[in-house]
Amino acid sequence: MKLVEYEGKELFAKYGIPLSKAFGVIKNREDISKIKIDSYPCVIKAQVLAGGRGKAGGVKIAKDKAEAEKIMEKMLGMKMVTHQTAGKEISVDEILICESANIEREIYLAVTMDRKAGKPSLIACAEGGVAIEELAHSNPEAIIKIPVDPETGLLDFQARELAYALKIEKEVFCSFTDTAKKLCKLFIEEDASLAEINPLIVTKDKKLIALDSKVITDDNASFRHKEWDNIPDRESSEIEKEAKEIGINYIALDGNIGCMVNGAGLAMATLDTIKLAGGDAANFLDVGGGANVDQITKAFKIILKDPKVKAVMINIFGGIMKCDNIASGVTEAAKNVNIKVPLIVRLEGTRVKEGKEILAKSGLKIHQADSAWEAAKLAVQLAGK
Amino acid sequence: MSVILNKDSRILVQGITGSQGSFHAQQCMEYGSKIVAGVTPGKGGTTHLGVPVFNTVKEAVKETKADVSLIFVPPPFAADSVLEAAYAGIDKIICITEGIPVIDMAKVKKHLDSLRKAGRKIIMVGPNCPGVITPEECKAGIMPGYIHKKGNIGIVSRSGTLTYEAVWQITCQGMGQSSVIGIGGDPIQGMNFIDALKLFKDDVQTRAVIMIGEIGGSAEEEAAAYIKENFNKPVFSFIAGKTAPKGRRMGHAGAIVEGSSGTHEAKVKALSEAGITVVENLSEIGAKVAAALKTAKAG
């Protein structure tokens, strides 16, 4: 799950990573007049998941109370498009108000999982800020990567080596090595898949401060982080959340052919097959390996909630999930939900004969296909009618 | 010959008394696999599915000479189970469990690497994978057995159900598989494509290899580079995710680590340049392999 800036900073604070003073988070208009801002100028920051918010008007500086209130009024509820939102508008529902800082120098510091090395990697660059990705392309030597032992975390000498490589000023040297170690500790203990400080700044009066935070957590670890239950899912649409609650992986897409598939790989390949057959899928839906009749019924209802859907293609290769279970789920759902669109089913695998028989005898109008390609062609044809 | 498993493999199942472990252990037995023991802490001394259950892997290995461990233990305890098997001396570990935290796998990898440095030849497959099968000899996993047939095509895949798709198409073409390895799709895994290719390279039964990949990571690109330099059997590949929507990205670290690799386009390019036949239509994998091998035979 992706955390917004103030949630990431709460984790930073827990590990003792230095932060600028925060005056509070505004979530509704009544809070604007109540917030107590001790010093000006202050920084008002939109709490959204997409990067590039500064350029889109999501970060403003206010020199006094009147200006701060004016900016907060305008920013709360504002619609924003940044280079990371793929052309879509996102709404600003929360804003963070912090003390402003006199920046002398910006550094980039992050920990992520290096799949290739199979361990966390601390990534740093002497020049932080917004242009870090471009820099990584144009001048990859400027990026320093340090492998982190997943059990011991960053070692003292590694932190020192990094500080020397980045030419960290002596006034903040210890604060820097300490911060680097703490960020690695946070990454490991909080089950993060990304913990990023960009920028990590040195102020004119020689203090090290994490000015922003980006933290993504590993959903697989939720069983040992009950505190994550309180963090809202800001990324999924309502229908995606509903799917998640019943253990179904659903992502809405732009086409008109609804899909129900088992396994993420086969689900992706099914989207590709539909495209190859000249159509577009309305969704990605992986019912998982152990879905039961009830779950398939629910998956069906979720697919049919999308008004764009003109046909539904089911592509199941039964391993753990047996074809007769799928067939029962499909017929049961079809009887519960009033299906008005053509239904194309391709079943293969364990108990396929029984599954196909259940479908054939259901009395429902179901088009059966023997391969994914046949099913996709049929779906494209029927959706187009 | 075959890779990883054969008719003499002696399998112990960690988590045999759980619902998944129990169901699939039985399926494996029915396929003909030699399941010799189960391990569930607290249930030692009992019998399940006709085999003895032990409290620890160490005991199970001592009593039954098991040489393969098949793991169905739930995510919070699965990483520890892998290490228990490794430290008990088992060199072939197949972990089916889905949903293990990534950092746990990073710790597992560290331990397995150090055991390998000390001379152990540990193969770990998974996690989050369908397992391994050598058709008509031994099945250690959750794949439907009947779709397989003994033959000379090696299959290695990151995706479970896509593996079944490829296997079934090969069987329908009248061909068969030497061994099928589902390596799983987790960010940190045991065996990768190159490890599997090395096994298939030395296996005389394997005449050609199908490699099923998907978008994300750089495993396919690395495999392509390996094949170009070191692999002389025909390789066919399918990469899922050509039309997948680009994920909303946050932060920069992922992009910095992986660069431009990971896209469908980059993978297909790397594979094609290495002389690998990339099949575009999912339903044509079997037909393409059959046609190519027939031509090769005639030539």
Side-chain angles (χ1 to χ4, degrees):
Chain A
M1 192 155 45
K2 294 177 181 176
L3 308 187
V4 291
E5 179 187 355
Y6 76 85
E7 289 165 341
K9 283 184 168 174
E10 280 167 13
L11 283 180
F12 286 1
K14 181 178 164 188
Y15 285 81
I17 293 169
L19 298 163
S20 57
K21 190 176 176 189
F23 300 118
V25 177
I26 302 279
K27 296 185 185 184
N28 47 58
R29 295 204 177 268
E30 298 84 77
D31 297 340
I32 292 177
S33 55
K34 287 181 205 153
I35 188 167
K36 200 171 168 294
I37 300 171
D38 296 337
S39 65
Y40 290 95
C42 70
V43 188
I44 299 165
K45 305 170 93 176
Q47 298 297 289
V48 291
L49 294 174
R53 63 181 172 171
K55 281 179 189 158
V59 180
K60 297 274 184 200
I61 293 176
K63 60 181 182 307
D64 55 34
K65 190 168 188 286
E67 194 183 20
E69 284 186 1
K70 209 172 130 194
I71 292 169
M72 286 188 270
E73 286 286 353
K74 201 179 156 202
M75 197 182 282
L76 195 66
M78 182 174 83
K79 304 277 183 245
M80 196 165 48
V81 177
T82 84
H83 72 277
Q84 282 191 9
T85 61
K88 283 183 184 146
E89 278 191 336
I90 50 168
S91 165
V92 180
D93 300 324
E94 296 165 291
I95 49 183
L96 171 69
I97 296 94
C98 298
E99 198 171 45
S100 78
N102 288 314
I103 303 172
E104 188 180 79
R105 181 182 174 190
E106 294 186 318
I107 300 157
Y108 177 88
L109 193 66
V111 189
T112 187
M113 194 55 86
D114 184 341
R115 295 170 71 137
K116 203 168 160 181
K119 59 177 81 167
S121 179
L122 178 66
I123 297 164
C125 181
E127 296 166 56
V130 289
I132 184 77
E133 252 179 84
E134 279 165 39
L135 189 71
H137 281 289
S138 61
N139 186 15
E141 290 79 34
I143 308 286
I144 300 168
K145 288 184 208 169
I146 297 173
V148 179
D149 186 297
E151 288 178 319
T152 61
L154 191 71
L155 300 169
D156 287 338
F157 80 87
Q158 291 181 300
R160 279 199 309 276
E161 280 179 358
L162 177 63
Y164 285 120
L166 294 174
K167 299 190 168 59
I168 299 294
E169 299 79 337
K170 66 177 189 308
E171 295 91 337
V172 293
F173 193 94
C174 290
S175 177
F176 176 85
T177 53
D178 190 47
T179 296
K181 285 181 68 181
K182 283 170 173 167
L183 193 65
C184 292
K185 188 171 156 68
L186 179 155
F187 180 89
I188 293 166
E189 289 178 5
E190 299 294 326
D191 279 292
S193 50
L194 172 72
E196 180 182 88
I197 309 174
N198 186 31
L200 175 66
I201 62 155
V202 180
T203 62
K204 291 204 168 108
D205 55 350
K206 300 292 177 193
K207 281 197 183 98
L208 193 78
I209 289 174
L211 215 54
D212 195 358
S213 87
K214 285 201 175 65
V215 176
I216 305 178
T217 58
D218 174 6
D219 291 342
N220 279 355
S222 58
F223 64 80
R224 59 186 172 212
H225 294 280
K226 291 294 164 238
E227 72 278 11
W228 291 355
D229 294 349
N230 304 321
I231 300 172
D233 178 356
R234 296 177 177 85
E235 223 187 348
S236 310
S237 65
E238 285 309 310
I239 188 163
E240 286 167 0
K241 277 183 211 166
E242 201 179 310
K244 216 181 252 180
E245 264 166 37
I246 51 172
I248 287 170
N249 190 357
Y250 173 95
I251 299 166
L253 301 171
D254 296 328
N256 62 2
I257 298 170
C259 294
M260 191 197 300
V261 190
N262 66 329
L266 189 59
M268 274 199 287
T270 302
L271 306 187
D272 299 345
T273 308
I274 290 171
K275 185 80 181 175
L276 204 60
D280 284 296
N283 65 273
F284 167 99
L285 190 154
D286 170 14
V287 283
N292 51 32
V293 173
D294 184 45
Q295 207 153 333
I296 299 153
T297 310
K298 285 174 180 159
F300 225 121
K301 287 179 181 168
I302 283 171
I303 293 171
L304 292 171
K305 268 189 186 168
D306 180 350
K308 295 195 305 295
V309 172
K310 294 282 180 284
V312 175
M313 171 174 163
I314 297 179
N315 185 18
I316 303 282
F317 208 112
I320 305 181
M321 192 182 207
K322 296 171 201 73
C323 293
D324 50 351
N325 280 350
I326 307 279
S328 312
V330 170
T331 47
E332 199 177 305
K335 279 165 190 166
N336 294 341
V337 189
N338 185 16
I339 300 182
K340 296 194 182 86
V341 297
L343 182 57
I344 302 94
V345 182
R346 185 268 175 146
L347 288 181
E348 196 58 76
T350 311
R351 292 197 207 154
V352 64
K353 228 181 97 207
E354 291 86 342
K356 284 188 169 181
E357 248 174 55
I358 291 171
L359 292 180
K361 286 181 183 161
S362 66
L364 298 160
K365 197 169 180 256
I366 294 170
H367 305 266
Q368 295 207 45
D370 285 330
S371 74
W373 175 235
E374 263 180 52
K377 281 194 293 186
L378 206 54
V380 171
Q381 187 201 333
L382 293 168
K385 274 185 184 167
Chain B
M1 241 177 95
S2 56
V3 305
I4 306 176
L5 300 176
N6 59 42
K7 59 181 182 356
D8 300 320
S9 298
R10 299 174 65 80
I11 303 170
L12 85 80
V13 178
Q14 288 176 260
I16 195 168
T17 53
S19 66
Q20 292 290 321
S22 187
F23 174 78
H24 287 293
Q26 184 157 15
Q27 296 280 313
C28 292
M29 285 173 173
E30 283 169 17
Y31 192 79
S33 308
K34 278 190 189 129
I35 308 278
V36 298
V39 170
T40 302
K43 299 212 171 147
T46 62
T47 301
H48 191 75
L49 304 174
V51 300
V53 179
F54 298 89
N55 285 323
T56 66
V57 176
K58 201 184 247 174
E59 256 182 290
V61 170
K62 192 175 162 226
E63 297 297 324
T64 67
K65 308 230 164 9
D67 56 9
V68 177
S69 178
L70 179 59
I71 300 176
F72 290 98
V73 173
F77 321 106
D80 181 65
S81 297
V82 173
L83 293 180
E84 185 182 358
Y87 282 107
I90 291 188
D91 277 344
K92 290 166 184 173
I93 303 167
I94 300 166
C95 183
I96 307 297
T97 310
E98 176 181 356
I100 302 177
V102 184
I103 196 76
D104 291 7
M105 282 310 301
K107 291 172 185 171
V108 166
K109 189 177 186 309
K110 176 188 167 182
H111 284 268
L112 296 185
D113 284 347
S114 76
L115 285 170
R116 288 187 190 109
K117 267 183 204 139
R120 288 275 301 279
K121 292 196 166 30
I122 300 174
I123 289 175
M124 186 208 162
V125 181
N128 189 14
C129 77
V132 180
I133 183 169
T134 292
E136 293 162 37
E137 290 194 34
C138 182
K139 161 178 133 127
I142 59 175
M143 61 291 278
Y146 81 93
I147 61 172
H148 300 80
K149 198 178 150 221
K150 198 178 193 70
N152 52 23
I153 311 292
I155 300 181
V156 55
S157 169
R158 271 171 76 181
S159 153
T161 41
L162 268 180
T163 320
Y164 310 160
E165 188 72 56
V167 165
W168 182 237
Q169 288 181 30
I170 289 298
T171 301
C172 288
Q173 290 289 335
M175 301 182 289
Q177 306 84 28
S178 52
S179 291
V180 181
I181 310 170
I183 57 174
D186 274 13
I188 297 179
Q189 56 192 183
M191 175 172 266
N192 61 26
F193 281 129
I194 296 175
D195 300 326
L197 287 164
K198 282 178 182 164
L199 298 178
F200 283 130
K201 186 185 174 185
D202 296 334
D203 177 41
V204 290
Q205 190 186 331
T206 303
R207 208 181 136 207
V209 172
I210 300 175
M211 195 171 94
I212 310 271
E214 57 189 44
I215 51 167
S218 56
E220 290 81 3
E221 286 89 331
E222 288 150 27
Y226 169 80
I227 290 166
K228 202 172 179 177
E229 298 299 323
N230 306 289
F231 202 77
N232 53 10
K233 299 177 184 182
V235 181
F236 302 82
S237 185
F238 176 83
I239 307 293
K242 186 179 185 181
T243 58
K246 292 200 170 46
R248 285 162 287 185
R249 209 153 38 83
M250 192 173 100
H252 306 279
I256 291 169
V257 171
E258 288 175 7
S260 63
S261 69
T263 64
H264 188 270
E265 208 183 344
K267 288 182 191 298
V268 170
K269 187 166 176 273
L271 292 165
S272 303
E273 282 173 3
I276 296 156
T277 309
V278 182
V279 182
E280 198 190 3
N281 187 332
L282 168 70
S283 300
E284 288 178 358
I285 298 172
K288 290 263 166 120
V289 174
L293 294 188
K294 224 167 265 169
T295 317
K297 219 177 222 170

